[in-house]
Amino acid sequence: MQATLVNRIASSLGAADHPYMTGAWTPNFDEYDATDLEVIGEIPTDIDGVYVRNTENPVHAPIGMYHPFDGDGMIHAMAFKDGRASYRNRFVRTKGFEAEQAAGEALWAGLAEHPAQSKRPGWGAQGSLKDSSSTDVVVHAGKILSTFYQCGEGYRLDPLTLEQEGTEGWVPAGGISAHPKVDEATGELLFFNYSKQAPYMHYGVVGPDNRLKHYIPIPLPGPRLPHDMAFTKRFSIFADLPLFWDPNLLPKGYHAARFYKDLPTRFAIVPRYGQPEDIRWFEAKPCYVLHWMNAYEEGDEVVLDGYFQADPQPPPLEGYGPKLGQMMAYLDEHSMKPQLYRWRFNLKTGAVNEGPLDDRILEFGSFNQQIAGQKGRYLYSTTAKPGWFLFTGIVKHDLESGRSWSLDFGENRYGSEAPFAPRVGARGEDDGYLVSFITDMAADASECVLIDAKDVEAGPVCRIRLPHRISSGTHATWASGADVRREKARL
């Protein structure tokens, strides 16, 4: 079954000229429920759950220059059980989405434009953007929670039907940012937000019953641009990174990010239910980090892995003009050069030890969420196409032995963030599958692939054809089928 939106972008609006509205980033407008899917190979019977991915799909012609993070959120879900799979996709019906549907046009200017161009007040840390709920996605307390990177309201959907359930009721006035974290060991969800008003950051804990249990300020020297957080069994970890809005331009309404290379990176380590006075601050080399991976405690130390950027302000990519070229550079991992990196914070002495774990350009990683907050062995990073925000393959890291294995998706084939799905009855940390959507530009088609995490170099175990070619996007997650069904029964 297929439903189509009435108010959609038209070819006459200049989309063909924008690199992130064409090719692998061509927006989707159709919504599907599909159960009779072509399968190449055989779907294993020992995978049970749902793979959920968020993407950006602009419905209306943008106000000014379009940035892909401005696009309307669309959730794609592939559910697996008993050797069968079904696919669904839906736009996230945010308040901004519904308002623009009613108006028949874009009402909010995007990330690349001055806030004064917006026709209505906006949401988030910047205060003028549309909360498109198009960045991250997790499953907590039996429901999908989709989020917006500059702090939004958080939208809930049913993970199996994608039925819309509106905004999340516990979200505080400051909203929630990407990326909230689910601790599978406790059922808690940890989150943060940030703004242009003191104390500039807050942190909260939501219980397994989906009720807000804890909410405190994390005082910062001024407005900052954190994107992610991490946690251990006892602590939550936040960063005060030296890339933030130019304080001289903010009073004029310009949100121009600058890298202040003479400032250190500061880390806040706070007990999960701690107070502001319990925060321990540590200083490290100046950098920017878009995404953290796992963190854990080892003796007197807290250990944190993430993707280190030494110079997060590269020059514009050539051939696009200064403004578009700068946006293209910020979306290009080969310009930003993130590397897998480790920090060790000694809670007894205050010392920080840090250094790279791999010299390759890597980002958008995943690991077995059952060991989140505990010491783990395996991590799965993505590789990217030079000049583009497109994933070209996967690297599996053995953090214990230092070995790694790689899989390339193939020429003109671009994947999505690939979370780890534990095998039913798994007996080891890497006993399961990596799940990804692949867009094949040569075939003008998309598919879902399962990759044996124990042997990534062997390639997909099976390939499941989607009913349409989907747009590239940002983040994805995996949720256990047994957990989802148990929560649905409880609710």
Side-chain angles (χ1 to χ4, degrees), residues 324-339:
L324 181 56
Q326 190 65 76
M327 185 194 81
M328 295 293 290
Y330 288 158
L331 292 166
D332 171 31
E333 290 182 17
H334 289 259
S335 294
M336 307 297 283
K337 297 181 173 56
Q339 292 182 313

Side-chain angles (χ1 to χ4, degrees), residues 72-134:
D72 295 288
M74 177 182 279
I75 302 294
H76 304 260
M78 181 72 80
F80 297 89
K81 193 174 189 301
D82 300 329
R84 301 181 62 83
S86 60
Y87 168 81
R88 288 175 173 81
N89 69 298
R90 296 289 188 274
F91 274 103
V92 184
R93 263 61 174 186
T94 65
K95 295 174 183 177
F97 177 93
E98 296 288 11
E100 290 185 336
Q101 284 288 292
E105 64 175 350
L107 300 174
W108 288 273
L111 183 62
E113 299 301 329
H114 192 282
Q117 294 195 57
S118 291
K119 299 178 181 180
R120 296 186 186 180
W123 290 266
Q126 188 164 311
S128 62
L129 300 175
K130 177 176 64 177
D131 173 6
S132 56
S133 203
S134 62

Side-chain angles (χ1 to χ4, degrees), residues 342-379:
R342 175 168 288 175
W343 293 260
R344 304 183 76 99
F345 309 101
N346 192 304
L347 298 175
K348 187 174 183 179
T349 68
V352 178
N353 290 306
E354 57 182 303
L357 298 174
D358 195 303
D359 61 3
R360 285 171 287 189
I361 293 172
L362 302 167
E363 242 284 3
F364 286 85
S366 65
F367 60 96
N368 186 336
Q369 292 297 307
Q370 293 180 340
I371 54 94
Q374 310 167 54
K375 186 175 183 179
R377 180 171 180 175
Y378 301 105
L379 181 70

